[in-house]
Structures are given as structure tokens and as C-alpha cells.
């Protein structure tokens, strides 16, 4: 299976977002990764529902929305209606397993894919009860909040465990500090989707950068 490449627009120029989305779309991107931060769950504030709604009008690529927010259940409907195709929430933002199951059900009720993400300090074992019902697991290899941080290789080890216990068709995505070298490590461990912000957008040859992650 070819690796799904999801460039993070956090590293794009927000004053030229349409241009920068098309730039990766025309150069082999599979999805568009949208980092939503609320200033509570993570220390940074980025973008929200109106931006997703606008992006939907200018690209046909699936919008891979990464919710780094508290109370994600409150925002499922607005993001789904705005055009999110994959909605990923953080395990650490929900306080009971029943609530996690309800949230997964809610996301699926809009006919979109559901992802569950873990921060660097969270053990992959906590995901076991959900692996058969989510579409994607997102392993963070930096502390969520900012682009351009250094890849934490010990976090990537978690992919191996997830790959061993997960159903064959589960999408295992990695986010944080991904470049040609670290992406390769993650793929060897079993990742089949890579998010990359600064590596792609700071590259002088976007096509080459995306291809270097894909194959
Ligand atoms: C970080 C975000 C990432 C970020 C990745 O909290 O979830 O998606 O944009 O940026 P790079 O690829 O620069 O580490
Ligand atoms: Zn992200």
C-alpha cells in the first residue's frame, strides 16, 4: 500500500492558503492536514471551522482534520458540516472510555472517517479497545502545539506495537518532525500515512519532498 501523504498547512502561508494548498495538491499530496488548536489542550491557537469550510471549496483532496482541542465532541458536527473527511481527536482530551466510544460513534454518524491520536507520553496500549472501530490512529512524534520541532524516535517505536495488534486495514499515521529520514523509520515500523509540515513547505522542490515520503 502506498503511503498516504498529508501535508500540514500549519507551515503554509496563511495569507496565501489557496495557493499553498494547490501547490501540494498539484505535487502529489493525498490529503490536506489541518491542525486545529484551541490554546487549552495545547498552548497554541491556530484555525477552526470557517477555514475548513473555505478549504472545502478550493480542493477535492480529503481534509484530514487534527483536533488538538478540549471537548472535541462539541465540535464534531460543525467540522463535519464544514467538510472534514477525517476527524481525529486526542485520547487525552476525553476522560472516560464510554465517552470515547460515543465520540467515535458520533463522528461516524456523519459518514466520515474517525481517527484517535496519542501524545508522546501516552502509552499505545490505551488504544487497544478502539483499534477495531476507528479508521486511523495518529501517533504524535512531537508534543502537539507547534510545527518545526524535532522528531522523537522513542515515540515512533509505538507504531511497531500498534501494527502488531491492529487490524490490517487500520491507517497508522505519524505527525511531527517528519522528513525523508524519519519518515522512512516510521514506514519501516508500519506507518502508512505521514504528516509533514515544515519538511514539505520549506523544501525548494515540493514534488521531490512529497515523493521522498511516499516511496
Ligand atoms: C503539531 C502538528 C503538526 C505539525 C507538524 O502539533 O500536529 O501537524 O504541523 O509540523 P512539522 O512537520 O513541521 O513537525
Ligand atoms: Zn497535526
Amino acid at each position: 500500500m502506498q503511503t498516504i501523504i498529508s501535508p500540514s498547512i500549519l507551515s503554509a502561508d496563511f495569507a496565501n492558503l489557496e495557493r499553498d494548498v494547490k501547490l501540494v495538491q498539484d505535487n502529489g499530496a493525498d490529503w490536506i492536514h489541518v491542525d486545529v488548536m484551541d490554546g487549552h489542550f495545547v498552548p497554541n491557537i491556530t484555525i477552526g471551522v470557517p477555514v475548513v469550510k473555505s478549504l472545502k471549496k478550493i480542493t477535492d483532496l480529503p481534509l484530514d482534520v487534527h483536533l488538538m482541542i478540549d471537548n472535541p465532541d462539541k465540535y464534531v458536527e460543525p467540522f463535519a458540516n464544514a467538510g472534514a473527511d477525517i476527524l481525529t481527536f486526542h485520547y487525552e482530551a476525553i476522560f472516560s472510555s464510554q465517552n470515547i466510544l460515543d465520540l467515535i460513534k458520533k463522528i461516524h454518524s456523519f459518514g466520515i472517517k474517525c481517527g484517535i491520536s496519542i501524545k508522546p507520553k501516552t502509552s499505545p496500549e490505551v488504544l487497544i479497545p478502539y483499534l477495531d472501530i476507528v479508521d486511523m490512529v495518529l501517533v504524535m512524534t512531537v508534543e502537539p502545539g507547534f510545527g518545526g520541532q524535532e522528531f522523537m524516535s522513542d515515540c515512533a517505536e509505538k507504531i511497531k506495537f500498534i501494527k502488531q495488534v491492529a487490524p490490517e486495514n487500520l491507517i497508522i499515521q505519524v505527525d511531527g518532525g517528519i522528513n525523508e529520514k524519519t519518515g522512512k523509520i516510521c514506514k519501516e515500523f508500519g506507518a502508512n500515512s505521514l504528516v509533514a509540515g515544515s519538511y514539505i513547505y520549506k523544501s525548494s522542490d515540493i514534488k521531490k519532498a512529497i515523493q521522498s515520503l511516499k516511496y
Side-chain angles (χ1 to χ4, degrees):
M1 180 171 145
Q2 214 181 60
T3 310
I4 300 164
I5 307 303
S6 193
S8 165
I9 55 164
L10 192 58
S11 294
D13 175 1
F14 283 178
N16 289 291
L17 204 45
E18 179 171 7
R19 179 200 70 189
D20 280 4
V21 165
K22 292 200 165 141
L23 190 62
V24 292
Q25 176 176 303
D26 294 343
N27 284 293
D30 300 292
W31 293 353
I32 299 295
H33 187 81
V34 183
D35 285 306
V36 177
M37 306 188 191
D38 66 353
H40 294 274
F41 183 74
V42 287
N44 197 8
I45 299 178
T46 54
I47 53 184
V49 173
V51 175
V52 171
K53 203 170 168 187
S54 296
L55 288 172
K56 198 66 188 173
K57 295 186 201 146
I58 59 118
T59 182
D60 292 329
L61 290 184
L63 298 177
D64 168 28
V65 178
H66 178 190
L67 297 178
M68 286 162 275
I69 62 173
D70 285 329
N71 303 312
D73 52 302
K74 270 175 68 178
Y75 299 94
V76 170
E77 187 169 357
F79 276 108
N81 290 339
D85 296 278
I86 302 111
L87 209 45
T88 298
F89 66 90
H90 266 270
Y91 168 82
E92 301 85 358
I94 316 285
F95 300 104
S96 85
S97 58
Q98 188 52 48
N99 290 351
I100 291 181
L101 293 170
D102 289 345
L103 180 54
I104 295 168
K105 226 182 261 171
K106 188 169 180 176
I107 292 172
H108 280 151
S109 76
F110 288 91
I112 60 177
K113 286 191 164 69
C114 174
I116 183 168
S117 181
I118 49 168
K119 296 205 285 183
K121 291 193 184 78
T122 304
S123 153
E125 275 95 356
V126 303
L127 297 173
I128 290 174
Y130 316 108
L131 293 177
D132 284 324
I133 47 174
V134 292
D135 305 281
M136 181 168 91
V137 162
L138 166 52
V139 176
M140 290 302 300
T141 41
V142 297
E143 276 301 336
F146 300 91
Q149 302 180 76
E150 203 170 322
F151 179 77
M152 299 161 86
S153 51
D154 50 328
C155 296
E157 299 268 343
K158 294 179 198 176
I159 303 164
K160 277 203 262 182
F161 170 81
I162 295 166
K163 184 72 192 164
Q164 270 167 19
V165 295
E168 189 61 32
N169 59 348
L170 184 76
I171 302 169
I172 304 176
Q173 187 179 61
V174 191
D175 182 7
I178 296 298
N179 55 36
E180 184 176 2
K181 199 170 135 230
T182 58
K184 190 162 180 271
I185 296 170
C186 294
K187 285 189 285 184
E188 278 166 9
F189 286 158
N192 48 20
S193 176
L194 299 176
V195 174
S198 41
Y199 173 64
I200 291 177
Y201 277 107
K202 289 206 168 74
S203 161
S204 54
D205 188 339
I206 302 257
K207 187 171 192 156
K208 204 170 146 207
I210 292 175
Q211 296 301 309
S212 77
L213 297 174
K214 216 177 246 199
Y215 300 104

